[in-house]
Amino acid sequence: MIPRKYTIISKDDVASIDFNQVLEGNESHLHYSLDGSKTLVKYRDDQPSFLNGKQEYTHSEILDVLATEEWTPDEPI
């Protein structure tokens, strides 16, 4: 199986997502940072063209990012 790859984008870039090229089915499936300013998309194979130039993360790398205070609350909700 081809491993998943991840890219973080600005909330302002959500309108440019081609949901046929990512693993999320639509905007309601996106995972946002706590302040709502960023989200991430996941995909397999090559980075979709609408993400050109944006940093790509492996699964272990994105887990490290999501464990930060920007993405995970200090206290459980």
Side-chain angles (χ1 to χ4, degrees), residues 7-18:
T7 296
I8 295 172
I9 61 171
S10 165
K11 177 184 172 185
D12 297 336
D13 292 332
V14 168
S16 70
I17 297 173
D18 179 348

Side-chain angles (χ1 to χ4, degrees), residues 17-66:
I17 297 173
D18 179 348
F19 286 99
N20 293 314
Q21 296 183 34
V22 296
L23 299 176
E24 291 79 15
N26 58 51
E27 190 173 341
S28 69
H29 293 125
L30 296 174
H31 179 87
Y32 284 88
S33 59
L34 293 177
D35 68 3
S37 68
K38 297 176 186 175
T39 188
L40 64 94
V41 291
K42 52 186 175 279
Y43 47 92
R44 298 186 194 277
D45 297 319
D46 295 329
Q47 190 176 54
S49 60
F50 69 89
L51 296 173
N52 279 349
K54 303 214 184 287
Q55 183 172 350
E56 188 172 78
Y57 297 88
T58 64
H59 185 255
S60 62
E61 290 170 335
I62 203 66
L63 289 178
D64 289 341
V65 171
L66 295 177

